[in-house]
Amino acid sequence: CFRCGGIYGPERSMITSVLREQGNERSTTSAGGEMSATPKYVNRILVDDICSALLTAASSDDDSKDGRRSGKIFNLVDDDPAPRNEVGAEARRLLGLASTDDGNNEANNKAAAAGRKVRATSRNTGNKRCKNQRLKNEYGWEPSAPTFREGLMKLLDVESR
């Protein structure tokens, strides 16, 4: 069983989000946004690394007849779970844009002034740090983008066209 973290790739990355928000008012789930002062860690994986992991697993020689790998869960994630605002800051840096504050203070401040709470979304409620070590150990797989930094670098040319 393979369990994927947040999947990103061409037209589906923080670089895409940053480029889309340029000229628009930031939303509460904008690139880099955090809904609380405490960072919420998210596990990610580049779509190319999902493909390479599945191909590696499918082509491996599992010579055990006892189903040694059956029933195991393999996390398809990179090596560096990170808060959304860190990923947004890196995307902005790569694009040569000024970094923003911690993400969405403007949205939080507007909501507080109106006496409302900012509604939690799936992008800001998780806080997990999964590991991919079993996948590496049992299949010898290595991600081409070990962290979001390498992943964003790979996508920079494609996304910024």
Side-chain angles (χ1 to χ4, degrees), residues 7-8 16 36 42 47 49 53 71 82 85 94 100 113 133 138 149:
I7 302 169
Y8 69 100
T16 304
S36 73
V42 178
V47 69
D49 286 336
N85 63 338
L94 291 171
T100 61
Q133 200 58 49
E138 294 195 25
R149 292 167 195 85

Side-chain angles (χ1 to χ4, degrees), residues 11 20 29 37 49 53 56 91 98 101-102 109 111 118 124 130 135 137:
E11 299 299 316
R20 284 184 184 152
T29 59
D49 286 336
T56 298
D101 57 12
D102 72 352
N109 292 340
V118 175
N124 60 30
C130 298
L135 184 63
N137 290 346

Side-chain angles (χ1 to χ4, degrees), residues 24 27 35 52 59 61 69 84 97 106 122 139 142 157:
N24 296 326
S27 69
M35 298 302 286
S52 75
S59 64
D61 293 328
R69 292 184 181 141
R84 186 171 169 78
L97 301 172
E106 182 180 336
S122 63
Y139 289 110
E142 288 294 330
D157 289 334

Side-chain angles (χ1 to χ4, degrees), residues 36-132:
S36 73
T38 305
K40 304 290 186 186
Y41 287 81
V42 178
N43 297 276
R44 296 171 178 78
I45 186 159
L46 184 63
V47 69
D48 293 353
D49 286 336
I50 295 170
C51 296
S52 75
L54 295 176
L55 288 171
T56 298
S59 64
S60 74
D61 293 328
D62 185 2
D63 55 4
S64 67
K65 302 297 182 212
D66 62 356
R68 179 173 40 117
R69 292 184 181 141
S70 70
K72 290 185 178 178
I73 296 172
F74 295 92
N75 291 318
L76 292 175
V77 296
D78 68 16
D79 296 338
D80 187 20
R84 186 171 169 78
N85 63 338
E86 285 184 26
V87 181
E90 179 66 7
R92 283 186 184 82
R93 186 189 71 75
L94 291 171
L95 291 166
L97 301 172
S99 185
T100 61
D101 57 12
D102 72 352
N104 69 359
N105 280 343
E106 182 180 336
N108 285 336
N109 292 340
K110 284 181 183 178
R116 296 178 282 118
K117 289 185 178 180
V118 175
R119 187 174 67 104
T121 66
S122 63
R123 287 191 172 167
N124 60 30
T125 56
N127 192 19
K128 295 181 180 160
R129 297 183 198 190
C130 298
K131 293 185 178 184
N132 59 20

